[in-house]
Every structure is written in structure tokens, then in C-alpha cells.
Amino acid sequence: VMERIRPNWIIADAEEGARQVTELAERFSVGEIMVHPVAGQRREDDPHTAPARVRTLELLTEALKPATA
């Protein structure tokens, strides 16, 4: 099962993930991509929050920001 669905996922660090998301958007000529982060949770984390998922999105957001001169 994993071999069939893995090509549809982006599993990478922030910089590589940003590159792949950008490539995906360009390939489909879209200006917006929906991201569903999957990240673990620690036992001590509030079960009503998802700090690891939030952090994943923060890192991806930073990596997607255009470089300034």
C-alpha cells in the first residue's frame, strides 16, 4: 500500500518540502496548495492542540518566503 501512495506525499525537511510544493503548484498551474501536516505529539502536549503540526507549518512558511536581496 505504501508504495502506491508514497509518490503522492511530500515527506521532507522544510527547504525540500518548499521546493516540492512550489514544483507541484507550477506543474498544475495553481497559486494555492492545501497542506495537511502530519507530525507526532508528545504525551505532555495538550491533546486539543497540535504544536508539532503548527511548527511544521511555520517552518514551511519560512522556507516558502521569497528571498530578499
Side-chain angles (χ1 to χ4, degrees), residues 7-57:
N8 297 318
W9 295 354
I10 295 175
I11 301 173
D13 63 19
E15 289 75 24
E16 176 61 17
R19 187 192 68 73
Q20 290 184 39
V21 166
T22 300
E23 183 180 284
L24 185 66
E26 290 171 356
R27 184 171 64 210
F28 289 100
S29 299
V30 297
E32 192 172 308
I33 296 284
M34 181 181 285
V35 176
H36 179 85
V38 177
Q41 186 163 323
R42 295 186 177 130
R43 186 177 301 240
E44 64 270 12
D45 290 341
D46 179 348
H48 298 99
T49 66
R53 290 180 185 193
V54 169
R55 185 65 182 140
T56 297
L57 291 172

